[in-house]
Amino acid sequence: MKKGMTKVSVLYANGEGKTFDMDYYCNKHLAIVGNLLGDALKGATVEQGLNSDAPFAAMGNMYFESPEAFEQAFGPHAEEIMGDLPNFTNIEPKIQVSKVLV
Amino acid sequence: MKKGMTKVSVLYANGEGKTFDMDYYCNKHLAIVGNLLGDALKGATVEQGLNSDAPFAAMGNMYFESPEAFEQAFGPHAEEIMGDLPNFTNIEPKIQVSKVLV
């Protein structure tokens, strides 16, 4: 994604008793999010933690033109999107809103 | 970066008394890392935390063909690269090695 964009990272921390269904996440949750956010969502990536002490089981990243574009697209659907989380994980994710510098 | 690649994220957590010189990081540290890792490094991105409660002040991401390609490129230069950290931050970063799934 290009310089200057807004990246929203959803970070699922590893921990004892934590579960994460990567198949559901990639194949169902992402489609739900994509449909709800529409054209405001400029791209998305998913990464799975590999190292045994990886801080995060999974990281999902969404790209928007600006923080405002994210808020406008996400706000009205926040409840529905967050309501899907128990279908694939018991982890409460950390949300990071970043500016892409490089 | 494309599906299947290895992404190494270097995550600099925010916190009281933590400092991070983004100018040095983008303009000097990245060049040092790029020169040392050479062709094994397939791409790099930098993101700066925007939300006031952003977990991370900065996230640096490097892409490699495989976890082995990362280890082979990084290992011999780990000391020199990590030795540059005090020049721009007092944060001890978390390292996440991930597989790009989407």
Side-chain angles (χ1 to χ4, degrees):
Chain A
M1 287 294 122
K2 63 180 191 291
K3 212 170 147 171
M5 290 193 85
T6 295
K7 178 184 178 186
V8 178
S9 301
V10 188
L11 308 168
Y12 296 88
N14 267 322
E16 207 175 315
K18 299 299 183 188
T19 61
F20 192 92
D21 180 343
M22 187 60 86
D23 183 58
Y24 183 99
Y25 184 69
C26 286
N27 294 309
K28 297 194 178 161
H29 184 66
L30 251 61
I32 292 170
V33 171
N35 286 337
L36 291 172
L37 300 187
D39 289 346
L41 182 65
K42 300 305 181 190
T45 63
V46 173
E47 294 123 26
Q48 181 171 36
L50 283 183
N51 46 338
S52 57
D53 56 348
F56 301 104
M59 305 197 292
N61 306 290
M62 298 176 288
Y63 294 87
F64 300 87
E65 291 292 353
S66 66
E68 295 73 27
F70 160 61
E71 284 157 21
Q72 284 165 20
F74 187 79
H77 303 294
E79 204 173 327
E80 189 170 351
I81 291 172
M82 300 310 282
D84 189 44
L85 265 62
N87 292 327
F88 61 90
T89 189
N90 61 1
I91 302 169
E92 191 180 333
K94 291 177 193 287
I95 308 291
Q96 166 102 7
V97 181
S98 299
K99 183 175 180 178
V100 177
L101 298 187
V102 173
Chain B
M1 287 294 120
K2 61 182 194 290
K3 210 169 150 173
M5 290 193 87
T6 296
K7 178 184 178 186
V8 178
S9 302
V10 188
L11 307 168
Y12 296 88
N14 268 321
E16 207 175 316
K18 298 301 184 188
T19 60
F20 192 91
D21 181 343
M22 186 60 86
D23 182 57
Y24 183 98
Y25 185 69
C26 286
N27 294 309
K28 298 194 177 160
H29 184 67
L30 251 61
I32 292 169
V33 172
N35 285 338
L36 290 172
L37 299 187
D39 289 346
L41 183 65
K42 299 305 180 190
T45 63
V46 173
E47 295 122 26
Q48 181 171 36
L50 282 183
N51 47 337
S52 56
D53 56 348
F56 301 103
M59 306 197 292
N61 306 291
M62 299 176 287
Y63 294 88
F64 300 87
E65 291 292 353
S66 66
E68 295 73 27
F70 159 62
E71 284 157 21
Q72 284 165 20
F74 186 79
H77 304 293
E79 204 174 327
E80 188 170 351
I81 291 171
M82 300 310 282
D84 188 44
L85 266 62
N87 292 327
F88 60 90
T89 189
N90 62 2
I91 303 169
E92 191 180 334
K94 292 177 193 285
I95 308 291
Q96 166 102 6
V97 181
S98 299
K99 182 176 181 179
V100 178
L101 297 186
V102 172

